[in-house]
């Protein structure tokens, strides 16, 4: 997991154009590009794994899940390399721009559904422009060992990143 966190942070650090911090979609698109490059240079995931954005989950095919996650790292069932939609699901990324309590809570519920129904191994909630505020204390789900929060900011061309995660019942926040 540490290598995944490191390549995620490397991708964040490459986003230094202020415009990308003004819209969620712009930031996500730029992040996707950099994350894709970082994943290609790693051996983190098995053959057949893809990075995919805005995948529409269909209720009949995805155990009742109908959301459209921002970014996924998984082996899709259509590849023929997995038999069930809840297998080979590695990472789910959820992004918000300057999220407040209600929007954070809604994304935590969505991440919980991705963990519960589709067995994603790790989930990242990324709050763009919220640095240094963190909201992980609002997560009250069952997957504390899988959920991580990053708050990202850009000041004078410098990317600021806080990474929050659970250690047991405690939340640890690290400046990256």
């Amino acid at each position: 997991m540490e290598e995944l966190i490191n390549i995620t942070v490397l991708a964040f650090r490459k986003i230094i154009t202020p415009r990308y911090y003004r819209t969620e979609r712009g930031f996500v698109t730029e992040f996707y590009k950099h994350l894709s490059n970082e994943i290609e240079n790693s051996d983190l995931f098995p053959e057949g794994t893809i990075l995919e954005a805005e995948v529409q989950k269909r209720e009949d095919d995805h155990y009742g899940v109908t959301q459209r996650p921002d970014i996924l790292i998984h082996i899709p069932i259509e590849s023929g390399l997995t038999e069930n939609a809840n297998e080979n699901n590695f990472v789910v990324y959820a992004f918000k721009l300057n999220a407040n309590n209600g929007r954070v809570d809604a994304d935590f519920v969505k991440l919980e559904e991705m963990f519960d129904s589709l067995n994603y191994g790790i989930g990242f909630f990324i709050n763009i422009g919220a640095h240094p505020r963190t909201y992980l204390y609002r997560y009250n789900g069952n997957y504390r060992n899988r959920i991580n929060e990053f708050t990202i900011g850009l000041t004078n061309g410098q990317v600021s990143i806080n990474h929050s995660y659970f250690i047991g019942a405690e939340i640890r926040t690290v400046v990256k």
Side-chain angles (χ1 to χ4, degrees), residues 5 9 24 48 141 148 159 165:
I5 290 168
V9 169
E24 179 182 321
N148 290 256
V159 178
Y165 56 95

Side-chain angles (χ1 to χ4, degrees), residues 51-141:
L51 177 68
E52 202 167 13
E54 299 275 338
V55 179
Q56 178 63 58
K57 297 296 184 182
R58 295 174 306 280
E59 186 172 12
D60 292 341
D61 298 333
H62 297 98
Y63 304 98
V65 176
T66 59
Q67 60 177 288
R68 187 185 300 260
D70 293 314
I71 295 177
L72 300 174
I73 300 175
H74 66 149
I75 299 175
I77 196 165
E78 297 85 5
S79 70
L81 299 173
T82 188
E83 294 181 18
N84 298 302
N86 65 351
E87 298 174 337
N88 293 310
N89 295 322
F90 307 113
V91 188
V92 55
Y93 290 87
F95 293 81
K96 284 292 179 261
L97 179 67
N98 293 313
N100 58 21
N101 291 345
R103 294 176 73 206
V104 168
D105 292 347
D107 267 15
F108 285 162
V109 168
K110 289 179 182 178
L111 286 169
E112 184 81 2
E113 182 180 38
M114 296 298 284
F115 297 143
D116 195 44
S117 297
L118 297 175
N119 199 31
Y120 273 83
I122 189 166
F124 293 123
F125 172 70
I126 296 96
N127 201 346
I128 308 154
H131 187 271
R133 294 180 318 273
T134 61
Y135 292 88
L136 192 59
Y137 68 92
R138 298 187 62 81
Y139 178 76
N140 59 9

